[in-house]
Amino acid sequence: MGTIISGDRVKQIAAKIEHKLINTLGTTLEEAANDEIYKATAGCIRDDIMTKWAESRKKSGAQGVKKLYYMSAEFLMGRALSNNLINMEMYKDYRQALWKLGIDFDEIVEEETDAGLGNGGLGRLAACFLDSMATLNFPVIGCGIRYEFGLFKQKIMDGMQVEMEDDWLREGNIWEVERPELSVEVHFNGYIEEHWTEKGLKIIHKDYNTVVAVPYDMPVIGYKSDTPATLRLWSARSKQRFDLHSFNEGIYDKAMADQAFAEVISKVLYPADDHMQGKMLRLKQFYFLASATMQLMVKHHKEKKGDLHTLSDYVTVQINDTHPTLAVPELMRILMDEEGFGWEEAYAIVRKIFNYTNHTIMTEALECWDENMFKLLLPRIYQIICVMNEKYCDKLRIYYGEHHEKISKMSMIGNNQVRMANLCIAVCHRVNGVSQLHGDILKQQLFHDSYNLYPQKYIAITNGITHRRWMALANPQLCQLIKDHTTGDVLKDYRIFEQILLFKNDVSFQHKYQQIKQQNKKRFAKYIKKKQGIVINTDSIFDVQCKRMHEYKRQLMKCLHIIYLYQQLKKQPDYLSTPITFIFAAKAAPGYARAKDIIRLIHSVKDMIDADPVIREKIQVVFVENYSVSVAENLIPAADISEQISTAGMEASGTGNMKFMMNGALTIGTMDGANVEIFEQVGAENIFIFGASVEEVGNMKRYHTYNPGTVFEKNPKIRDICNCLIDGELPKIGKQKYSDIYQSLLFGEYGQPDQYFVLYDLPSYIETYDKVYNTYVNHYDEWIQKAIVNTAKSGFFSSDRTVAEYNDKIWKLSTIK
């Protein structure tokens, strides 16, 4: 097909789609609904991918290359159809083929469900990595859970978040292949018996509950690559699907009980865990993922190589955050209990295979499990961790002697908890942070005592994003502009971005660049009007903060800044000459009350502004409902200002900051996470930095010097902003006002001042934002130059660079040729 000229290829694609409609779906082009046309189109693409996928697996087996198992509880993939077409270099052909058939390509793309199998950066990073690993021809299997329902669909009703089920599999998933022949059993509960035999100690697990793990595989195509990655998602099923005897006896609940016990495991991503049943379900989920993956990994190696002593030569495992940590003791269990390895022999293999990526320094996110619950649900795994911990603590005592507090802090089990992060850092071959700053924090703060013992373990690899999705797909006009002014293929070689630095002062290039931004703003305006009925001014500045709703990300500080602007405009209606549209997009975890209150507050501020006919012409607040990958693809290219305002030292990296800079938004941010490296790449003149540094925040915590009451008393502007939360001017949404937010800002909680330092950084933010605004309004040519520099320097943040670095420092994979 590659030799066919473009016109003929378009005709062939159109014919294939019609043929697929008739022969697979039993309908004609004239009768087909849009979802049927989507399935037919996707089916044609899938056919081509499946051929590559099968041939790649055959090559991988023949070459005997080392394989990566990338384990993650989240894979936030985004829509596959258009991204696959970009990577197969067939996007324009399919677009023209559908046009030839009288069909709007964009409408067909909208038919694909945007699966919410992630909560934000963690799952999106995993998706970018699979794209890059496929592009670089590395052999990889991404391993996760096939959640029947994603995170949740967010509806905003009367200014408040309401969660609805995300039934992403309702219409099926055309890209996946069920692999029932690869199913394995996962065992829960029961008790352990030990018997000595001639061959040594025999471990027997009795009276356990069985869940069958069924893999569904999906190819993830790379750009100009013949080596698709495999995304393997595990679905939970009952071993006994249906108890016919009980059903015929009329005992219907009993007939379905075994099925319900099993299938709830892969039902929902992150079930609420503010009760014991929710916590237990999460633990089941993570062990289910760990056990199924390790069992199949060992089985595959035995079939191909026979000798499990060589396992570490042919596999490496990356644990993406702590959720898959139980893969470590599970592999120990398999090697010892099922394969007859001794402890030291098994442990020597395990410690070579596993590597751990830490994604947070927030203590509440460093996963710990109730020890009694853990012992009840996973009795054999608990035994193994106890022995691992005992041997580990023996080593710690050699180094730290009688420093019992340090040893207790580093222990895998303590205070009636089983600690996943401590298990990872004790056993894993490499432990990495996801930005250079984050890597330093792991070494100097979070895991400092471990770092003193094993400094060679700790490295930092800065996160990245795939520029195929986040530029070529999300911003095709910008991609074309770059292609027109560079030599080489920018989608294959991220270093080519730098070439457009030559054009930052070129008036013609600047004009084209600015036009593209304006067209993207119009595209988003059209989208938000269609989806939510909101009309926005495309001549306004688009100031965007889109990310997971969390106090450390400080959407609250942005909200306070908007209140400040409102108050200034009340006093001085011409305070702003160019209007600003403030756009928020975020989901709050269902059990996170404060995050939900901040969403309420955003809508109260919006209502307050909308009620004033003068001010609403100058500022507008928009909250984008049900934020997702496809929404981000629409929104990020339209942004002028990128809000990256987390408390310094709390954002491990961030990847939204990279997507915004790539698409020409300028960052206002703290020196936190990857903002530090963006600053280093673009230079101080092309980013707007404010607020306390990591060192300042650390010193305020250490010496208890932060007093928000003093900031409040000494700064009338800050006092007015805070008082707005309680003086009744804000329209009331829901039953509660905002006195609890007011109290937390001024007095903190649990005897500690606000740990996010909102009022401390707010004056600096207001001052810096004035510079941002002045640059945009009064020096727009300079603004465009800065934006071009940001795009030019964004190549460094390609996940192709990140993955190559992981491979060089950790995985040591060979490419499939």
Side-chain angles (χ1 to χ4, degrees), residues 567-577 614-615 618:
Q567 292 173 340
Q568 297 307 111
L569 285 165
K570 272 290 193 185
K571 298 172 189 172
Q572 188 180 343
D574 60 352
Y575 181 74
L576 298 177
S577 57
V614 175
I615 293 178
K618 294 296 181 75

Side-chain angles (χ1 to χ4, degrees), residues 594-613:
R594 177 58 53 76
K596 287 186 168 183
D597 281 347
I598 294 170
I599 290 177
R600 280 198 308 121
L601 177 60
I602 290 168
H603 284 87
S604 287
V605 173
K606 172 186 178 300
D607 290 348
M608 179 175 71
I609 290 166
D610 288 348
D612 190 307

Side-chain angles (χ1 to χ4, degrees), residues 317-344:
V317 178
Q318 192 71 35
I319 295 172
N320 191 35
D321 217 356
T322 52
H323 311 116
T325 300
L326 293 175
V328 175
E330 174 64 7
L331 184 55
M332 289 290 292
R333 182 195 69 79
I334 294 168
L335 292 176
M336 292 190 301
D337 297 0
E338 297 180 10
E339 302 297 336
F341 281 57
W343 178 277
E344 297 302 333

Side-chain angles (χ1 to χ4, degrees), residues 21 104 365 416 467 524 566 591 604 637 644 720 725 760 774 812:
L21 279 169
D104 186 333
N416 298 315
H467 53 293
F524 177 73
Y566 171 85
S604 287
Q644 308 298 330
D720 290 345
L725 297 172
Y760 184 87
N774 179 61
K812 311 298 182 183

